[in-house]
Each structure stands twice: as structure tokens, then as C-alpha cells.
Amino acid sequence: MRLRMTVVAAVATLAGSVGLYPLFTTGRWVWAALGAVLCAAGGAAAARRLGRGAPLDAAGGLLALLLYLTAVFAHGRALLWIIPTPGSVAHLVSLAGSGWDAVNRYAAPVPLVPGILMLVAAGVGLVAVLVDALAVRLRRAALAGLPLLAMYSVPAAVREESVSWLAFGAGALGFLMLLTADAREQVGGWGRAVPAARRDAGAADAADGERVQPGALAASGRRIGAAAVALAVLVPLAVPGLHPNGMLGGDDGGGGSRTVTTPDPLVSLKRELTRPDDSVVLTYRTNDAEPDYLRLYALDRFDGDRWTYDPLRSTPRDRVTGGPLPAPPGLTLAPTRTVRTRVTVRPEVRRMTFLPVPYAPARLSVDGDWRVHAESLMVYSLRDSAGGRTYTVDSLRAEPTAADLSAGGSYPADIVRRFTAYPRSVPAAIRQLAEKITARANSAYEQAVLLQRWFTAEGGFTYDLSAPAPQHGGDLTAFLLRSRHGYCEQFAASMALMARLLGIPARVAMGYTPGTLSNGVWTVRSKDAHAWPELYFQGAGWVRFEPTPAGAAGQGTAVPPIYTADTDPTSPDDTGTSRNRTDPREARDEPSRAPSHAPAHRDERLDDTGAAAGDGGTGFPAGWAALVAGLVAGLLVLLGAPMAVRALTRRRRWAAAEPPSEPRRRLRAPGGGPPRGTGPADAAHAAWRELRSDARDHGLPFRANESPRATARRLTETLELERPAREALGRIAMAEELARYARSGARVPRGALRADVRTVRAAFAAAVPRRTRWRARVLPPSALESAGRGTRAALDGATAGATDLSRAAGDALRRVARR
């Protein structure tokens, strides 16, 4: 029945599934996968007893997997809680569909909703069935690596970060165990293995040069295996399509366009808001006394369930070059002022491919390949991340008054067509509610202000981070009409939808609130992540509104816009337009936002480095000195590494030929003779190896098919060596010949040989050009050979250890099977 192979195949599948860990928010999927693998392996083993062939084995595994999925996910509709029925099968299909929808909606790591958990169990179980059929029944263990690789490729395909080496090592070890177990099964079919006869150490040493070591072939096999694994890891990095742009770039510099893809922004928002550590995302300095929000995304499409944005088509013409960015749409009449902000994103931030900038960015200075979407002014990159970057952005901050917004003209046709669209599935009750709230408004601006006030003050809403993220259109309906509990995503999405129902162009923006101020530096943390609606008014362009409750009972650092806070749009002033009774900056009570903490002058300007004028800054970006010092130190270490390797190799060679101390001599050679490896012959070998390395460092040919005497003669004639160097080279060659061929061995003292090697090295350096001489000192080629031998030895040791571990595991499994 090949029970051991069945167990090893199951273990290999579980080890390969470890790589799925980054895809999920919790580890509950492990237990579901474990049960699926055990049931699939057990079903295949039970079917194998019948001996009807591989198809029946696979059918047994699939049937056991179906029973498992039914018992875990559809037991309420099954017969005796385990036997499938049409109702249970239909429920599993429906659950798979909902899980697939959730997978496409969420960005990794995804929450383990029942549909996703069922897909994980079914997927890992199917892989277990395939591995069992290939490795156990068909005896093709190497082919069984394909389904294991497919399972590993899932996180590699959907995540930008690579899977950890531990997860990769677990999967590789499982596959090696499978290959080892299969090889033992194949060899075991020929009968009992006959071990080699053991001999004493002395006899073994004497015969080392007369017999071929059987471990040499094994070492070659291990090196080939290690090289294959290295190629499997490195080649996908260099192939465009398997890795973004490939290792060598693969840019679209030829003028083509590429589609910009990114994880679901709103899923990332929920994850940021619920992080327990509330870590720092970025810091910035600005000459704006009351900074505006930092925007990442502009979500302009509502599909009935979620707010997203249409895929961006990026071309090389969209690159940020340091010149003026496209003009903000619609901003033609409202007064504006230029704000300079210098942002530093923490290095720990990952996968931030959109830059947080105040709207509307007019000029940007940033390193890397960054691009701008002309319509939304989102700044993004196809290859770079904002983590660890410092950049400066000049923004046009619009300052419209209530009168400006109330007097806005008619909307352009393209704006109306694109930003007032909504699905027909939106319930009529939401439209009726929006019309009821804004019944007393006389303009689109007044409608927007009344909607904002209804969310923040009059509607009875509660800010609640524990509320689930909206996944379907019905979730927004429930939020508006029943629960009225949610966080910024629900507030922003609902107000933008209601604005569109009233004919006001609207979209949802996402980014960060201004954060908190301390010693002239604003700090933005993960819990400052935020979503808000942007409404379009002709002459002012896209204008921010804030329907999310602020302060201690809401989003702590949210700020109502000055043109909407505490404004009664139905109370006209003498001109018949709405008036702003209270400046919201005077009504804020957060200590970190108090005017006393703000910069003294509203129009203070930043210099070109981003430091505020008069703040005592050095003008040199923080952290750059450490970065430059680190680069210089790294360069020096890199340049000195070959010299250090060469010096270490030389020292180890002479140390190996050093005679041991008297106590060690007595311990290792009780008979009084010199121990192996410390006699004059070893000093001669060390001198000859040093001579060979020196020759190669200086670009001199050193032929393996020549005798030491012939090599010395050729080098002497080629270089026209002087008498001292010629005699020293002759002594080294003679000592090597005596060490190789004479029964009594070499008689030249070690100290004399070392002095001769120094003499010949100096002669080599004097005989070659200056460039070659400096290369031999700074970048000696022999250092690469020494490093390569060390690497090969390390690989041999590592692969030998893995083989021993797998062999021990196989022996343990065999003992268990015998019991």
C-alpha cells in the first residue's frame, strides 16, 4: 500500500501550504487545510487497497474531500451531517461563489469569511489528491512538485513582497523529503542495501588516494540541486511578467501604455484604522498654518457595492519631471494660495505606490519613476514605493467662500456624465431621504452643507470602527436607514452617493487627515487614515466635505472645511447669500490643533530643502547624513572584501602548515612521528598554492598539466626574473616536487619557503603593468576562487544536513508504520 509514501506526500502538501500564510488575517485556515489533507490522503489510501488503478485512487481522495467539506461547511443540509445531498452541494457551490467574490474584493491579507475558508480547504485538498496520485500511485515524485509549486505561486502572484525564506524552506524541505522517500522506495525494490565495509581510520587515510569516494557523486548531486533551487528563485525575478518590470527593468519607455493596478484602497483603509500599534506613517513640514488632508486616491466609480476608480492607463508622458503638473479641473475662479509641504514617509511603510499629497498638487520633486493622472491628480508609480522617501510638493489650495460655491455655474457635460452616474439598483428610499434632507436648500452648495450637517449632527449617527466594511449595496442602505453605525468609509461613500442622486458631481477621496503638530513637525499615524467625499463646483473644482463626526467621539483628527462648518445655508445675509458665522478654527478644542501651536506666520515659506525659514534648520534633510555615511562605509567594506579574503586565505594556508605544540604533538602522534598535515611536505604544498594564487592575481598563466619544475622554468623565461627571484622560484618548485614524489619528502624549512614566496610575489608585481599590479592588490582574482570553494562547502554541508534530516524523518515514519 506504500503507506510511508502516503504519509510523506501528505506532509509535503502541508509543508507547501505554509507559503499561503501571508494571504489571510488569521491562522484558522491551517486547521481547515490540515483536515482536508488528512481526509484526501486517507481516502486515496483506502481506495488503493482495492488495487483498481490511479483513477480510482484519485476518486477515493476526492470523495473523502467532499465528505469533509460537507461535514464542516454544509452539515446542516447533509444527510447524517456528512453524506452529501443536492441541498448541501448547492450550498457548497454558493459558498464557493461568495468566497470568490470576496477574494476579488479584498486585498491580501483577506479576512477568513466562510466562503474564503472553504476555498482554502478545497484548494489544498485538491493539491493533496494530485500529489498523492502522482507520487504514490504513479511513482512520479518529481512531477508532484508541480501542484506544490502552483500552491506556492499563489502568494507570489498576488503580493508584491516575497514569501519569507522560512516558508519557502518548509515547502522545499517537504518536496526533498518526498523525493528522498521515493528514491528509497525505488532502491528498496532491488533488495536489501549492502553497506560498505568499515575500516579503521589509518587504513582509510592510506587508501584515500587509491579509491574513488562514493560521496563525490552525492556532493555533485547536492550542488546541482542547490543550483537548480537558486535558479528557480532568481530566474522569475529577471523575467518581465513574472516580476513587475523584471529584474532588469523592462520599462515602457518605448511609448506604450500600462494599466495601473493596486490593492483595494478601502480595504487598506480599514486595516490601517484597526491596527493596534497606531504606528507612524509619515511626518511633514509645511508653511500652511492649518494643513489640508493628504490625498492618496480619488475613487470615481460606484458599482452598486463599492467605490473604486477606473483602471488608469499610464504612459511615459505622465512622468513627473519636476515641472508644472496638469492644472486642477474646474479651479478657475476661486481664490488660491500656494502651499509647500515636505513629506518624509517612514521606511517601514510597504506597498504605498501612491504618494500622499495635499490637493491640488502643482509641482512635485521626488526621486524615482512617479507619474500623475491628469484628471484626478493622483500621483503613482509602476515600480517604486513611497516608503523611506522624502519629497517636496507645491500645492494650490483653493479658498472658496460660501458665496463662491453658491454662485457656481452649470456643470460641464463630461463632468455630469461621469460623476453623477449611479446604478439602477440603488433603492428609491435613499433618493427620497436625500431629497427630504435638502428640501429647504436653494443651491447645490446648500444641499451639500445640509447633507454634511445631517451626518455629523442631526441624523443620529455613531462613529464605530467595529462596524463591518460595506460589501454590498444593501450594506449602505442599512447604514443610512437602520443601523447608522460606521466609520469614515460609510460616511464618505453614503454622502457621495446621495450627492449624485441629487445631481451633484461627487467622488470619494482617501488618504490621511493632517495628523498632530509637535515642534513644527506634523506626524501622521495609521489611525489618521481617512476617507471623505469631494464634490465638484464650477469655478472651485473639487471641494472637500467632511460628513464623518470629528473629535473624541469620531475620527480624532478630522477637520470640517472652513466654508461649511457651523454654516446655516438657509439664513441669508444682506446680499442674499449664505454666510459663515463661525470660523471652525476657533471652535476646535483639540490641544494639538490649537492656534498657539501653529506657526507664527501664515505665509511663512519653506526653502528648497523643505525647512522652514528661521527655524534653525541646517537645510540638509534629516537622515541623509547617516545614509551617505552608510553608503560610504558599505562601499569601503565592499572594496576591502577581496583583499580581506585573500589575506585570510594566505594566513589559513600557512597556519595549516604550522607544526603543533608539544602537547598536541604527543596527543595526535603517540608514536613520536609528526602528525599528518604538519610536516615539511605540507609547508611545500602551502608555498606552491600561494605561488599559484599570486600568479593568477598578476594575470600569469599557471597550467595544471605542467610539472613544478616546468612551471618555474616557463615563468623565469617569460618574466626574465633576476637571480634572487629565480633561485627562490626554483627552491619552491623543488620543494613541491620532493613533497609529491620523494619518499622522504621535502626538506626545505617552512620559514625559508615563506620568504621565497614573498620574494617571488614582489618579482611578479615588478614584472607586470601598474594596472595589473593594483588589481592584484585590491581585487585579487584568487579571492573569488577561495570564496567559491567556501560557498560550495557551505552548500554541501547544508544540503547534506537536509538529506540527513529527511532520512531521519523517513526512518521515524517507517518505525511508526511498523508499529
Side-chain angles (χ1 to χ4, degrees), residues 708-722:
R709 190 177 305 178
T711 300
R713 184 185 308 113
R714 178 177 52 81
L715 290 176
T716 299
E717 295 174 354
T718 302
L719 302 178
E720 298 180 354
L721 298 178
E722 299 292 337

Side-chain angles (χ1 to χ4, degrees), residues 203-283:
D205 289 338
D208 276 345
E210 302 176 3
R211 64 186 178 91
V212 178
Q213 294 288 346
L217 294 177
S220 299
R222 288 194 293 268
R223 282 196 290 269
I224 292 173
V229 172
L231 288 176
V233 174
L234 296 177
V235 169
L237 297 178
V239 179
L242 296 181
H243 188 271
N245 298 324
M247 182 185 295
L248 304 179
D251 193 14
D252 54 353
S257 63
R258 295 181 56 185
T259 301
V260 181
T261 58
T262 185
D264 190 329
L266 293 177
V267 173
S268 303
L269 170 65
K270 176 72 177 203
R271 191 160 58 242
E272 286 288 293
L273 289 172
T274 55
R275 287 185 60 169
D277 56 352
D278 192 23
S279 58
V280 175
V281 178
L282 58 90
T283 58

Side-chain angles (χ1 to χ4, degrees), residues 35 49 102 259 380 420 461 500 542 614 618 630 653 669 698 750 785:
R49 292 183 62 92
T259 301
Y380 61 91
T420 61
F461 286 88
R500 287 195 175 189
W542 290 101
T618 63
R653 281 174 179 166
H698 290 86
R750 173 180 176 277
E785 299 177 3

Side-chain angles (χ1 to χ4, degrees), residues 678-700:
T678 60
D682 297 281
H685 293 323
W688 187 251
R689 294 191 187 101
E690 272 298 297
L691 179 68
R692 179 178 57 192
S693 296
D694 288 334
R696 290 178 177 175
D697 291 343
H698 290 86
L700 303 175

Side-chain angles (χ1 to χ4, degrees), residues 3 56 61 68 76 118 147 152 165 200 223 236 314 318 378 401 411 471 501 593 599 621 628 642 708 772:
L3 179 60
L56 186 60
Y68 170 76
M118 198 275 287
Y152 172 79
W165 284 104
D200 61 278
R223 282 196 290 269
S314 179
D318 300 327
M378 291 188 291
T401 64
Y411 304 122
Q471 301 180 16
L501 293 173
R593 313 300 299 274
V628 172
T772 304

Side-chain angles (χ1 to χ4, degrees), residues 24-264:
F24 312 106
T25 55
T26 65
R28 289 192 298 118
W29 66 274
V30 174
W31 305 110
L34 175 62
V37 170
L38 293 179
C39 289
R48 211 159 14 249
R49 292 183 62 92
L50 301 178
R52 301 296 182 182
L56 186 60
D57 294 355
L62 292 174
L63 178 60
L65 178 61
L66 177 60
L67 294 177
Y68 170 76
L69 295 177
T70 302
V72 175
F73 299 100
H75 54 273
R77 294 174 173 83
L79 182 63
L80 299 178
W81 297 281
I82 192 172
I83 300 177
T85 63
S88 66
V89 173
H91 180 70
L92 290 177
V93 172
S94 175
L95 202 60
S98 64
W100 184 254
D101 291 339
V103 167
N104 290 322
R105 179 177 299 113
Y106 292 108
V110 299
L112 277 177
V113 298
I116 294 180
L117 190 62
M118 198 275 287
L119 287 178
V120 173
V124 177
L126 288 175
V127 171
V129 172
L130 289 174
V131 172
D132 184 272
L134 291 171
V136 183
R137 167 58 71 176
L138 300 179
R139 302 194 177 191
R140 296 292 185 269
L143 289 178
L146 293 177
L148 295 176
L149 180 62
M151 186 164 51
Y152 172 79
S153 66
V154 174
V158 302
R159 298 179 74 248
E160 184 174 329
E161 295 90 351
S162 60
V163 178
S164 72
W165 284 104
L166 291 177
F168 176 78
L173 180 61
F175 182 53
L176 290 176
M177 289 176 57
L178 187 64
L179 293 177
T180 303
D182 180 70
R184 292 175 66 88
E185 289 281 338
Q186 299 283 359
V187 174
W190 294 89
R192 182 178 179 182
V194 179
R198 294 183 176 272
R199 292 180 291 179
D200 61 278
D205 289 338
D208 276 345
E210 302 176 3
R211 64 186 178 91
V212 178
Q213 294 288 346
L217 294 177
S220 299
R222 288 194 293 268
R223 282 196 290 269
I224 292 173
V229 172
L231 288 176
V233 174
L234 296 177
V235 169
L237 297 178
V239 179
L242 296 181
H243 188 271
N245 298 324
M247 182 185 295
L248 304 179
D251 193 14
D252 54 353
S257 63
R258 295 181 56 185
T259 301
V260 181
T261 58
T262 185
D264 190 329

Side-chain angles (χ1 to χ4, degrees), residues 641-643 645-647 649-650 653 692-700 771-789:
M643 291 186 290
V645 171
R646 180 69 180 94
T649 303
R650 181 181 296 119
R653 281 174 179 166
R692 179 178 57 192
S693 296
D694 288 334
R696 290 178 177 175
D697 291 343
H698 290 86
L700 303 175
R771 184 174 182 179
T772 304
R773 182 162 60 249
W774 277 105
R775 187 197 64 177
R777 295 175 182 174
V778 180
L779 297 173
S782 62
L784 299 178
E785 299 177 3
S786 301
R789 286 192 294 271

